[in-house]
Amino acid sequence: MFDCRFDLADADAGGRRYTEGHIPGAAYLHLNIDLSGPVDAGRTGRHPLPERAAFESLLTRHGVTPETQVVAYDDTGGMFAARLWWMVRWTGHAAVAVLDGGYQAWLEREGTHAASDSVGPPSVPTPVSMQRLREHAGRWTLVDARASDRFHGENETIDPVAGHIAGALNAPFQGNLGDDGRFLEPVALQRRFDALLADEEGKPVVCYCGSGVTAAHNVLAMVHAGRPEPALYPGSWSEWITDPGNPVAT
């Protein structure tokens, strides 16, 4: 089990919370250190993927074998745990799930369960590059997981350029959760994404966000709903804006 608690405004907060209390046996993974590779300012996004071999070695050092059931949790509705869920499957390890309701649900000890089937789809998810997005412009449907105000460029609090990738649709990841912080039932998630993608004529879906973290939450929600798994653009908005020639909309 892995504790993925994190705070984008305070990179040390998750580690402090882990020290104060965590699920017995859980190891802490830091978003910036363990779940991301080196940031190259002006070239990468804020949370680029690490080398896959390096991440596989990290899992091995924590005792993950091909038979291990991996469970990820955080305290923000799966906001960061979904990143680990996607990355573990990226290595070809299918037995991974997100603890629905996270650390709070564990403390309550009532009705905790995985937000996705432990054994995911047989295919290994593949990250999409910025170059491929440009090559397939108009042929793929982009879904942005950020809050509506950031998507529309009204309140950019993190990145130096406001707006979204031209042509993208907005599905804030918080919409995958109920008022209790747990994932909506699959049928409700199915309705959500059916409505969002109704006019997209079945085009392949690519999820992105600010830096490739909350986008994985939408991937998880679509898989949980029984929809075809979308691709993930790990570089996301923070990488897209490193090239001034890329189309931006507000």
Side-chain angles (χ1 to χ4, degrees), residues 144-165:
D144 189 321
R146 294 175 299 162
S148 178
D149 56 346
R150 290 187 65 205
F151 176 82
H152 291 292
E154 298 166 349
N155 183 32
E156 180 52 62
T157 57
I158 301 175
D159 292 306
V161 178
H164 59 269
I165 299 175

Side-chain angles (χ1 to χ4, degrees), residues 81-170:
R83 165 84 166 204
L84 178 61
W85 171 84
W86 188 94
M87 289 178 64
V88 170
R89 295 172 61 254
W90 175 50
T91 70
H93 188 98
V96 57
V98 169
L99 181 64
D100 199 13
Y103 189 58
Q104 300 93 321
W106 174 264
L107 294 176
E108 294 167 4
R109 297 290 185 94
E110 295 181 2
T112 56
H113 63 282
S116 70
D117 293 336
S118 295
V119 179
S123 60
V124 176
T126 302
V128 170
S129 67
M130 180 168 61
Q131 179 61 33
R132 289 192 67 202
L133 278 190
R134 288 191 292 231
E135 291 171 353
H136 290 79
R139 298 197 295 275
W140 288 348
T141 297
L142 304 182
V143 176
D144 189 321
R146 294 175 299 162
S148 178
D149 56 346
R150 290 187 65 205
F151 176 82
H152 291 292
E154 298 166 349
N155 183 32
E156 180 52 62
T157 57
I158 301 175
D159 292 306
V161 178
H164 59 269
I165 299 175
L169 305 177
N170 188 210

Side-chain angles (χ1 to χ4, degrees), residues 166-223:
L169 305 177
N170 188 210
F173 81 92
Q174 296 92 337
N176 299 323
L177 305 171
D179 293 338
D180 59 358
R182 302 185 187 214
F183 277 79
L184 299 174
E185 293 298 321
V187 65
L189 292 170
Q190 179 76 273
R191 287 196 297 267
R192 181 187 193 210
F193 291 107
D194 280 351
L196 179 75
L197 303 171
D199 298 326
E200 295 304 301
E201 301 177 344
K203 292 187 290 187
V205 176
V206 178
C207 292
Y208 81 95
C209 56
S211 62
V213 176
T214 59
H217 201 281
N218 275 349
V219 176
L220 171 56
M222 291 188 203
V223 170

